[in-house]
Amino acid sequence: MNTDLPTSDRKAFYEQIRELNMIPLWESLSTLVPHQPNGPCVPALWKWRDVLPYIEQAGTLITAEEAVRRVLVLENPALPGYASVTQSLYAGLQLILPGEVAPAHRHVQSALRFIVHGRGAYTAVDGERTTMMPGDFIITPSWTWHDHGNDGIDGRSEPVVWLDGLDIPMIRFFDAGFEEKSTAMSQRVTRPEGNALARYGHNLLPVDYQPSSPTSPIFSYPYDRTREVLERLYRDGDVDAWHGVKLRYVNPATGGWPMPTLATFMQYLPAGFSGKPFRSTDGAVYSVVEGTGRAVIDGQSFEFGPKDHFVVPSWKTFTLHANDDAVLFSFSDRPVQTALNILREEKLDA
Amino acid sequence: MNTDLPTSDRKAFYEQIRELNMIPLWESLSTLVPHQPNGPCVPALWKWRDVLPYIEQAGTLITAEEAVRRVLVLENPALPGYASVTQSLYAGLQLILPGEVAPAHRHVQSALRFIVHGRGAYTAVDGERTTMMPGDFIITPSWTWHDHGNDGIDGRSEPVVWLDGLDIPMIRFFDAGFEEKSTAMSQRVTRPEGNALARYGHNLLPVDYQPSSPTSPIFSYPYDRTREVLERLYRDGDVDAWHGVKLRYVNPATGGWPMPTLATFMQYLPAGFSGKPFRSTDGAVYSVVEGTGRAVIDGQSFEFGPKDHFVVPSWKTFTLHANDDAVLFSFSDRPVQTALNILREEKLDA
Amino acid sequence: MNTDLPTSDRKAFYEQIRELNMIPLWESLSTLVPHQPNGPCVPALWKWRDVLPYIEQAGTLITAEEAVRRVLVLENPALPGYASVTQSLYAGLQLILPGEVAPAHRHVQSALRFIVHGRGAYTAVDGERTTMMPGDFIITPSWTWHDHGNDGIDGRSEPVVWLDGLDIPMIRFFDAGFEEKSTAMSQRVTRPEGNALARYGHNLLPVDYQPSSPTSPIFSYPYDRTREVLERLYRDGDVDAWHGVKLRYVNPATGGWPMPTLATFMQYLPAGFSGKPFRSTDGAVYSVVEGTGRAVIDGQSFEFGPKDHFVVPSWKTFTLHANDDAVLFSFSDRPVQTALNILREEKLDA
Amino acid sequence: MNTDLPTSDRKAFYEQIRELNMIPLWESLSTLVPHQPNGPCVPALWKWRDVLPYIEQAGTLITAEEAVRRVLVLENPALPGYASVTQSLYAGLQLILPGEVAPAHRHVQSALRFIVHGRGAYTAVDGERTTMMPGDFIITPSWTWHDHGNDGIDGRSEPVVWLDGLDIPMIRFFDAGFEEKSTAMSQRVTRPEGNALARYGHNLLPVDYQPSSPTSPIFSYPYDRTREVLERLYRDGDVDAWHGVKLRYVNPATGGWPMPTLATFMQYLPAGFSGKPFRSTDGAVYSVVEGTGRAVIDGQSFEFGPKDHFVVPSWKTFTLHANDDAVLFSFSDRPVQTALNILREEKLDA
């Protein structure tokens, strides 16, 4: 900055106003109001083969009672100490061993569970249990009692790992978090498994039903159903040059997002797909369900395979490529950016 | 935490996963998902008599050309270096001297101007100028060209100071900021002053009008009109035991907030008013328009008078008291908390 | 219709199914699903000088006690016996003499009062009275207690005539009408006159206000304010080649229509204005407030002056012309057509 | 009416104003603003065994070319000549014989097809065909090209009969009907059958999808899926004492009604169900899919069996009773009554 004011005078002034908790805007305007998104986040990949041994170790070293929620948090390399995978999103990998139970609590934070590995755990929301199968997308709505357990399925029991996606950084940012623990270990089951999906998930709603919150009344979106749709649309030729076949999960009572703070997506990239470059202000976390391929993010290449996770920061140009048929789950803060009227996205040509 | 795992083993494990950009949730769960809002912000007061000398000094030491926007940012004492008055809000006091012009630009950030001191500056938005008078609330909508100047009024010219309120921290947090500078110093004036208020501000709308954004088409809410309403409602007895006569500014095309990220309020506390305690998850910044009184925030007492500013953090219980008739402007992030479905507020009894 | 079936056989068949309450669609398809709107309504004009003597006569011949609501209903000439001015709208001219009172009742039907003649009557809605002045637009919301009276103003008393606009035919068509009479003659006044306009009518709303119905919380839109806006926009050059300066009244709590069933408009035609042709599927009833001019509707010319009323049926092309500065109030069923997604309108070039 | 005015004078007055197209409100107020719904409609039942012979006769006597749409309209006995089953609803039974084609057209009227009898006809909407099976609910959205045909299925061909439900009386009432005939016999098929249901019907939506109209993008709601949900909810105990298991069809892009003018419902009455009395301002047309039972409407009893149709007028109290497991489809004008804010319904105790 070219100025007639001697640096020393300016400094003295800055120190004086500092006493009053004031700072000069002109020294930081271009940082505060950037020309385009310039946040600190970097792309990153967590390979399943690297992560799995530590998840297993966490299972042996630390008991469920001790850990309550035995989760390894995926932290953006550029945000050490923030427990955030982007500035607004939290992601972690949670392990639950056969026979374990995570006691009931509720919190303002909205959570998604995306099942990565193993079968037979359950989560209970609002009096209904759902058994977790790989690829299922499950919701824990804001301020709703929930607990987890791992009872096994078909007489077999195995460790189960899921991706936790939460809006923890948002709630922290807006400083609006509340949490409550239940006195009961698990909540009472009041409805048979599958009731919510039957009630709300087939383009029909109970005649007197009025939504009591913006969160989807369906809390489990099973993978087999989603997978079928992706393939069907692929066969019908509904393939986008940027996204392949990309769908967003929907709250059937509103047509909106499943949760007010988190958008979730599932996409299918046919073998050999090589997507055009895309960027968006909502950075996203990806969980690979099937297949292998490559994400090129801001010039960096990340090879991915099943159960790998990666993060694409805001406004970084990226492309997706599939070696064999690939299925990717992802989530972002898109509903909030839409509510704030600040979402921008761009499909680029090359 | 009581555990059988030797601290040293655990530490080793933590260091190993740290290499993979992972951290153990169980060490920080209660911080990440707090029992109730526990953000770092503290209440603070900026007395006009303390602030004014520095504003004046900024006017003499630093030219408008140099400073572009000559603003002293009000920074929360607990957030040094963040240019934030709460975690989500930015507030600053801007000075414009007679004859100065601040060149046109636009940005994703939504801005409000609340006129604190002096008459005769103008702001131009979307081809229409509005002359600023103390107590006026003026909007600069997201991604709209705007510029300011100080031409004086009625042949007189004086320094003008206004409160800038912006969503800068939110846009930074969601990493969605864009900014563009105009090649022209000022934008071309295409509509006479007052046209927008006439068009949209009298419970009538042009028959073919369709809103093109969620931001209010009125960009100036003059104080004289607002003041009249406050007094009228006071005379009619519409006084709330917590808030006095408290009104929210409205986008007349939707009935919603004037901007998608910022709520604005004006309230009247009759002489002798002593409000009951209140708390809310949307912290707020106050600008005192008239009168003297006291805000007791989280047990701390702050005496206020005209042109003083103070901040009430999220979920801190506070009460308002007026010595003589007081008028307070305030703003918060309430529209966002409502969109996220996380707003909580509580009227307490004692 | 060319057919091999002997007419006599067909007739026999038709008679047989008639017994079972069935009719053959193929005999009436083109009528039931017309190529374009083909309703029976015709344009019509009611000149004040013709109507006034009968209004006065109704005042002398029939007491208020007897008539309760002393109204001459404007009936579309093509719909005798339907008490309808278009198929969906009701319009009538109501007279209230000095000292008279029309007792309180409420009904599902939404009503508008547009004051045509005389000063000093009042209507009371929801515990608040409003004094009626020519040109004022006043709402009686659905299922809200209301009563009228004529107490005079400034010590003077005169007969008052207003236009009643209601959705009576719609409520009859959907067969959803309910009505209740109060045991009290007038309702108790609980709020001072003008309170609702102060509360809701200045781009501000009480901070805790939540609309309890889709009807505007403002129930009086005074003419002086509306008139000022029209002139201001005319001076600013906001004149449409079809409509002049045309505004729609707005519910300030939503930006939508004042009532869910009725749209209301006010428009200004500067002296010499000769509008281009327009048509719309929502037929409308006009009340002339000021000025003289001509409406050419479906090829027929209607000269209008102050206090005249005319009706433009659905999809009839019409133009408006002003001799001297003219102000026209109008209402239609536009909100319903919009909700049904069937509204069409067309600005024609010649 | 007790009055001092000689009857003869009054009559003369009425005749004079009649000349000016005016009538006295006070002679008809209580009819126009009734104490409660008092429309002319009566309940009625159309037994399949009575209706079928005439449908078959219509098939032999009248060719498809001649009839275009070979439909027997169900007319309310109290509305002869109106082609209406209630004041606002149209219902008809349409027959299409093997090999026939009904040429493409489009109209403002929204239509539903509910398949009553036979398999293997198709309807094509917006470039996609859907094969009709009994119990399927199919939409023809407003102003969308559509055509029908009967090609058979699995090598077999049979006459197909469906219930047509339209908003014809509403569009006539608001006088907003437009219609256009295609020059092509059938529209070009551009998407494989089932594509729309795959795209929009599984709680997922294409990521870039934006609804272009309020009508559901799913145009076929297959019976097998609906039937499964009804039974599942019955097994789960979700049985209402008035309605049994009653669901409304939903537009998955909004959570609202499938069409802006028509609500559609499907309900399951377990064998032996005897419902409590209910009334609602939206009269409804019922089509019996399975089972036998009894509807008691306004004191009249109607025995029903498969493929029978009956109509319940506005605000008539009725109860439903099932001998064996019964499934009933129904439709009404509920979306419009909700938009007008006039819907009332009442669950009575005995």
Side-chain angles (χ1 to χ4, degrees), chain B residues 193 195 225 232 236 248, chain C residues 193 195 205 225 232 236:
Chain B
E193 179 160 356
N195 181 271
R225 220 180 163 200
R232 167 66 203 258
D236 288 358
R248 61 178 177 91
Chain C
E193 179 161 356
N195 181 270
L205 288 173
R225 218 179 164 198
R232 167 65 202 259
D236 288 359

Side-chain angles (χ1 to χ4, degrees), chain A residues 192-195 198-199 201 203-205 207-208 218 225 229 232 236 238 246-248 250 252-255 347, chain D residues 192-195 198-199 201 203-205 207-208 218 225 229 232 236 238 246-250 252-255 347:
Chain A
E193 178 159 357
N195 182 270
R199 253 176 210 256
N203 309 313
L204 295 156
L205 289 173
V207 68
D208 292 330
I218 301 179
R225 219 179 162 200
V229 171
R232 167 65 203 258
D236 288 359
D238 295 332
K246 186 167 184 181
L247 303 171
R248 60 178 178 90
V250 165
T254 64
K347 289 180 163 180
Chain D
E193 179 161 357
N195 182 269
R199 252 175 210 257
N203 309 314
L204 296 155
L205 288 173
V207 68
D208 292 330
I218 301 180
R225 219 178 164 199
V229 171
R232 167 66 202 257
D236 288 359
D238 295 331
K246 186 168 185 180
L247 303 170
R248 60 178 178 90
Y249 289 90
V250 165
T254 64
K347 289 180 162 180

Side-chain angles (χ1 to χ4, degrees), chain D:
Chain D
M1 183 177 285
N2 179 18
T3 162
D4 300 333
L5 178 72
T7 304
S8 60
D9 282 22
R10 229 200 288 159
K11 275 213 169 143
F13 179 72
Y14 295 169
E15 272 161 31
Q16 287 169 321
I17 63 174
R18 178 70 274 166
E19 292 299 303
L20 288 174
N21 298 305
M22 299 194 299
I23 60 167
L25 176 65
W26 54 90
E27 293 288 342
S28 49
L29 180 57
S30 65
T31 317
L32 291 178
V33 182
H35 187 60
Q36 62 170 45
N38 63 354
C41 284
V42 295
L45 172 71
W46 290 264
K47 296 293 293 177
W48 180 245
R49 66 163 177 264
D50 297 337
V51 166
L52 181 61
Y54 292 107
I55 291 178
E56 286 170 342
Q57 199 178 341
T60 51
L61 293 185
I62 292 152
T63 63
E65 292 77 41
E66 183 195 353
V68 184
R69 261 69 179 171
R70 196 195 289 110
V71 181
L72 300 187
V73 179
L74 308 183
E75 207 173 54
N76 194 286
L79 297 171
Y82 280 86
S84 300
V85 67
T86 70
Q87 287 191 128
S88 64
L89 300 174
Y90 163 101
L93 292 168
Q94 179 155 180
L95 170 69
I96 191 155
L97 294 173
E100 287 184 345
V101 170
H105 69 163
R106 62 177 181 172
H107 41 66
V108 161
Q109 288 81 0
S110 292
L112 69 88
R113 324 293 176 190
F114 184 73
I115 317 311
V116 170
H117 180 78
R119 309 178 338 142
Y122 68 85
T123 193
V125 171
D126 225 3
E128 182 179 337
R129 278 193 184 185
T130 192
T131 303
M132 293 168 158
M133 306 293 276
D136 290 355
F137 158 51
I138 291 167
I139 291 173
T140 314
S142 177
W143 207 241
T144 305
W145 293 109
H146 55 280
D147 56 78
H148 316 302
N150 187 343
D151 286 353
I153 187 172
D154 304 334
R156 293 186 46 210
S157 240
E158 55 191 29
V160 171
V161 178
W162 66 75
L163 170 70
D164 276 330
L166 286 98
D167 54 15
I168 286 175
M170 295 186 224
I171 306 305
R172 181 171 55 193
F173 179 74
F174 290 108
D175 203 9
F178 294 86
E179 185 264 358
E180 206 176 342
K181 282 173 189 62
S182 174
T183 50
M185 194 61 182
S186 306
Q187 58 185 304
R188 207 162 56 82
V189 171
T190 57
R191 296 187 302 173
E193 179 161 357
N195 182 269
L197 188 59
R199 252 175 210 257
Y200 308 112
H202 291 79
N203 309 314
L204 296 155
L205 288 173
V207 68
D208 292 330
Y209 172 71
Q210 295 293 344
S212 60
S213 96
T215 299
S216 173
I218 301 180
F219 61 94
S220 175
Y221 296 74
Y223 184 53
D224 50 1
R225 219 178 164 199
T226 302
R227 184 71 172 81
E228 211 177 293
V229 171
L230 289 169
E231 256 200 67
R232 167 66 202 257
L233 294 182
Y234 169 61
R235 283 201 315 271
D236 288 359
D238 295 331
V239 182
D240 180 85
W242 290 264
H243 298 310
V245 180
K246 186 168 185 180
L247 303 170
R248 60 178 178 90
Y249 289 90
V250 165
N251 173 348
T254 64
W257 306 103
M259 287 168 282
T261 50
L262 297 172
T264 49
F265 308 92
M266 191 71 108
Q267 82 198 94
Y268 178 88
L269 311 176
F273 179 82
S274 186
K276 291 182 164 189
F278 179 75
R279 59 182 174 177
S280 166
T281 52
D282 63 322
V285 177
Y286 285 77
S287 182
V288 181
V289 192
E290 302 181 26
T292 64
R294 196 163 32 97
V296 183
I297 310 168
D298 200 25
Q300 274 182 272
S301 186
F302 298 87
E303 301 288 330
F304 63 72
K307 307 183 189 180
D308 290 350
H309 292 84
F310 59 91
V311 58
V312 181
S314 168
W315 210 238
K316 299 303 183 203
T317 300
F318 73 103
T319 55
L320 293 173
H321 313 267
N323 302 329
D324 34 24
D325 292 348
V327 180
L328 307 179
F329 172 85
S330 57
F331 72 96
S332 84
D333 60 17
R334 181 166 289 213
V336 183
Q337 295 212 22
T338 301
L340 272 65
N341 203 33
I342 59 175
L343 181 76
R344 286 199 196 185
E345 53 180 344
E346 206 169 8
K347 289 180 162 180
L348 302 164
D349 263 331

Side-chain angles (χ1 to χ4, degrees), chain B residues 287-306:
Chain B
S287 182
V288 182
V289 193
E290 301 181 27
T292 63
R294 195 163 34 97
V296 183
I297 311 168
D298 199 26
Q300 273 183 273
S301 186
F302 298 87
E303 301 288 330
F304 63 73

Side-chain angles (χ1 to χ4, degrees), chain C residues 36-37 279-281 313-317 344-346, chain D residues 175 178:
Chain C
Q36 61 171 46
R279 59 181 173 176
S280 165
T281 51
S314 168
W315 210 239
K316 299 301 183 204
T317 301
R344 287 200 195 184
E345 54 180 343
E346 207 169 7
Chain D
D175 203 9
F178 294 86

Side-chain angles (χ1 to χ4, degrees), chain A residues 161-177:
Chain A
V161 178
W162 67 76
L163 171 69
D164 276 330
L166 285 98
D167 54 14
I168 286 175
M170 295 186 224
I171 304 307
R172 181 169 56 191
F173 180 73
F174 290 108
D175 203 10

